Amino acid sequence: MEGVHIHNMNLVRMLDFQQKGDERGQLVVAEGGGKDIPFEIKRVFYIYGSDSDVVRGCHANRKTEFVMINVAGSSKIRVKDGEGNEAIYFLNRPHTGIYLPTMVWKEMYDFSADSVLLVIASEHYDPNEYIREYFIFEKEIRMEK
Ligand code: TYD
């Protein structure tokens, strides 16, 4: 039924992690398995040194869910559902993340010079589960319906 199905984009949400601060400074825990991160963590990588005019990502994942946290600096994430809807999120706090489910198109951009974007993933790296062409993403979204 057109127009009533749940888009994975509606599952995108910001996550607020508790800051365990004391006089020595802050500590943030991102524990997997549904405690802080809504999946078992299999992979962590981080992105830094990207110029402000660089656009990264530009892909969707068939299998992997992600949480992204700007542990330093800031960046923006544009999320698209393949059906004409998009949303933009701003990451600028080491205790705030964004949850990205499978089958959403994502673009990371507007990196501050000090941006360190921590990415937590639910799967090991497999280039075959990445969709890097927008028209193929659109096609697979249409096929899901
Ligand atoms: P890429 O997917 O282009 O990064 P982004 O999502 O920021 O656009 O990855 C850059 C390179 O790193 C590419 O050669 C693939 C490699 N890579 C791995 O080997 N393992 C990984 O987990 C990731 C995310 C990338």
Side-chain angles (χ1 to χ4, degrees):
M1 274 194 297
E2 209 164 26
V4 296
H5 42 244
I6 304 292
H7 301 289
N8 273 10
M9 207 171 89
N10 294 339
L11 303 175
V12 176
R13 63 184 189 274
M14 300 300 287
L15 304 175
D16 250 310
F17 306 114
Q18 198 186 337
Q19 296 182 88
K20 297 176 181 291
D22 57 33
E23 62 285 348
R24 298 168 299 163
Q26 299 294 346
L27 185 152
V28 171
V29 182
E31 202 164 328
K35 277 195 95 180
D36 310 292
I37 304 296
F39 49 77
E40 294 290 353
I41 298 167
K42 285 203 184 154
R43 175 167 56 122
V44 169
F45 57 96
Y46 40 95
I47 294 166
Y48 58 95
S50 289
D51 280 339
S52 61
D53 59 354
V54 163
V55 181
R56 303 195 60 126
C58 300
H59 45 59
N61 292 76
R62 298 185 180 99
K63 278 180 63 185
T64 306
E65 301 164 75
F66 297 94
V67 169
M68 298 188 182
I69 306 164
N70 254 112
V71 292
S74 63
S75 68
K76 290 179 184 149
I77 320 273
R78 177 181 292 110
V79 184
K80 297 185 184 184
D81 69 354
E83 299 192 302
N85 303 299
E86 67 171 62
I88 292 168
Y89 295 85
F90 186 44
L91 294 177
N92 67 339
R93 282 188 288 265
H95 56 92
T96 302
I98 184 172
Y99 168 70
L100 298 162
T102 62
M103 291 304 279
V104 294
W105 188 265
K106 48 211 174 289
E107 298 170 2
M108 298 88 87
Y109 65 105
D110 252 8
F111 296 94
S112 64
D114 60 346
S115 173
V116 181
L117 182 62
L118 177 68
V119 184
I120 298 169
S122 68
E123 303 296 332
H124 294 294
Y125 184 61
D126 172 8
N128 295 319
E129 64 95 21
Y130 279 69
I131 307 171
R132 293 184 178 273
E133 300 274 9
Y134 195 76
F135 79 96
I136 295 176
F137 172 60
E138 288 178 307
K139 194 175 115 201
E140 293 195 16
I141 288 290
R142 277 198 302 274
M143 287 183 332
E144 273 186 1
K145 307 301 175 195

